[in-house]
Amino acid sequence: MTTENTSNVIKATHLEKALNYTEYVALTEQLLAENKTTGTNHADDLVEYNRMNLHRMRRGEKSAVLTDELLETLQKVERRMVWVVITEAWCGDAAQNLPGIMKMAEASPLIDLKLLLRDENLDVMDAYLTNGGRSIPKLVALDAETLEELGTWGPRPEPAQQLVLDAKAQNMDFKEMAEKLHGWYGKDRSRTLQQEFMPILNAWSTAAETITENS
């Protein structure tokens, strides 16, 4: 039974309407068949991003191979967690990172992955802004019993984030920036994501233990 703290940003009502990874991919495919994407803006460019991102996720499902070290760390997780990822189908960074996140969650029976659409849940999104912006994906780790926040990750691995910040500082054209960013993702194959989650997993597991002991 979940004992929810009313001060939590993400509540049980949010989780009830969240999607699992399979449902999210199915929704992406369904909307593409209707020439739409998630959210209310179905402009041609966003629909095309949706199409590209479906390919990126399928490719990531094959190329994101978890390291033995990360798998060992995931098997040591002793506290039940819910990982809530704020996302949208048109977001390239989400498409690049979700397969790796999904594989990490699948590798531990104690991690439940939930995907929450950003524009339908701005009350949650606005609690997790990055430099004042609604950047996604944003992963929020919760204790499964209390829904207390354990920590966050996102919207992208640190080298990719720095690439974007540098590009913006240089007033780089969006298309050129996107090419550089997705080129980095293609070469990295989720390795940096996995490296960043090694210490994060240990911290979240400890935080979960502390919450359980104090509840």
Side-chain angles (χ1 to χ4, degrees):
M1 179 178 178
T2 298
T3 304
E4 183 179 341
N5 186 320
T6 56
S7 65
N8 298 346
V9 173
I10 300 176
K11 305 182 184 302
T13 51
H14 293 110
L15 299 183
E16 287 170 3
K17 60 181 177 179
L19 305 170
N20 62 36
Y21 183 84
T22 301
E23 291 169 338
Y24 178 77
V25 173
L27 175 62
T28 299
E29 294 174 333
Q30 175 189 332
L31 290 171
L32 272 177
E34 301 170 3
N35 207 35
K36 295 179 180 179
T37 185
T38 55
T40 57
N41 186 349
H42 305 299
D44 290 345
D45 57 343
L46 292 183
V47 173
E48 183 57 28
Y49 292 154
N50 193 353
R51 192 181 313 280
M52 289 190 295
N53 289 336
L54 183 58
H55 290 302
R56 286 167 176 155
M57 285 191 291
R58 293 305 191 196
R59 184 171 62 239
E61 290 166 12
K62 296 178 181 178
S63 64
V65 179
L66 301 188
T67 65
D68 290 341
E69 186 179 15
L70 180 56
L71 286 169
E72 184 178 344
T73 300
L74 285 161
Q75 290 302 312
K76 290 180 180 178
V77 170
E78 297 181 352
R79 299 294 175 180
R80 291 178 57 239
M81 290 184 274
V82 180
W83 286 5
V84 180
V85 180
I86 308 169
T87 183
E88 291 285 353
W90 43 258
C91 176
D93 287 290
Q96 296 284 13
N97 290 292
L98 277 175
I101 292 171
M102 175 271 292
K103 289 196 173 186
M104 284 189 273
E106 282 191 339
S108 171
L110 299 183
I111 299 174
D112 187 12
L113 178 62
K114 300 286 187 181
L115 306 182
L116 206 59
L117 296 179
R118 185 191 78 169
D119 294 350
E120 294 179 10
N121 299 277
L122 293 180
D123 57 329
V124 175
M125 179 73 263
D126 287 347
Y128 296 102
L129 301 179
T130 301
N131 299 324
R134 292 170 171 170
S135 301
I136 52 177
K138 193 74 173 185
L139 188 158
V140 184
L142 307 174
D143 178 84
E145 296 301 321
T146 65
L147 300 189
E148 290 282 354
E149 180 187 319
L150 307 176
T152 66
W153 176 91
R156 52 183 70 91
E158 184 55 38
Q161 177 71 353
Q162 191 59 52
L163 186 156
V164 170
L165 293 176
D166 291 345
K168 289 181 177 179
Q170 299 165 19
N171 294 316
M172 187 181 294
D173 175 75
F174 176 79
K175 183 177 180 181
E176 181 181 357
M177 180 187 73
E179 288 177 354
K180 288 181 178 292
L181 177 62
H182 291 292
W184 180 87
Y185 277 122
K187 293 178 182 177
D188 188 71
R189 297 187 178 186
S190 89
R191 287 188 288 265
T192 301
L193 176 74
Q194 294 185 49
Q195 291 169 1
E196 290 186 357
F197 266 78
M198 290 289 294
I200 286 174
L201 279 164
N202 290 325
W204 289 351
S205 186
T206 301
E209 183 176 354
T210 299
I211 289 171
T212 301
E213 289 176 350
N214 293 340
S215 60

